[in-house]
């Protein structure tokens, strides 16, 4: 499988995605892309996993984010901030960690 798109994701979120605990990656915009994406550990320069982007939903208000906490794992301490802008759920499935990380070059 050749992966041409990837998401850069910070800790602890990428670890939660790879263990299957987190299935929504919260973003500030919608995406029309679907299918398999690489999962890049922010700051590492490496693809450490893959997942499928199945759908994008939202935007979600604070009450909805509270309701769906088990999908995204973002605490109220973050989403209640006035400057919080990550209100679209990029709905992921089939996340798995690669046996060996793959280097990539950011454009």
């Amino acid at each position: 499988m050749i992966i041409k798109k990837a998401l850069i994701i910070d800790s602890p979120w990428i670890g939660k995605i790879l263990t299957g605990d987190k299935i929504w990656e919260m973003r500030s915009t919608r995406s029309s892309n679907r299918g398999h994406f690489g999962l890049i550990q922010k700051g590492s320069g490496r693809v450490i996993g893959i997942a499928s982007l199945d759908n994008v939903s939202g935007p979600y208000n604070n009450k909805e984010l509270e309701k769906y906490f088990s999908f995204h794992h973002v605490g109220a301490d973050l989403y209640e901030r006035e400057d919080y802008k990550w209100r679209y759920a990029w709905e992921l499935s089939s996340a798995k960690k690669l046996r060996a990380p793959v280097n990539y070059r950011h454009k």
Side-chain angles (χ1 to χ4, degrees), residues 82-96:
E82 193 172 306
D83 63 343
Y84 186 78
K85 60 183 179 180
W86 298 274
R87 298 198 173 267
Y88 292 93
W90 289 27
E91 300 175 18
L92 305 174
S93 67
S94 305
K96 59 184 169 182

Side-chain angles (χ1 to χ4, degrees), residues 18-72:
L18 291 171
T19 61
D21 293 331
K22 176 177 162 61
I23 58 171
W24 285 7
E25 170 59 12
M26 301 308 293
R27 295 286 164 148
S28 62
T29 61
R30 296 185 182 277
S31 176
S32 60
N33 294 304
R34 298 294 183 272
H36 286 93
F37 277 71
L39 302 175
I40 299 168
Q41 170 74 50
K42 183 177 179 181
S44 73
R46 294 176 163 201
V47 179
I48 65 167
I50 60 169
S52 179
L53 175 58
D54 299 329
N55 190 37
V56 176
S57 59
Y60 290 97
N61 63 37
N62 289 355
K63 189 106 176 136
E64 292 166 322
L65 289 172
E66 179 183 13
K67 178 181 176 181
Y68 295 116
F69 173 81
S70 65
F71 296 159
H72 58 73

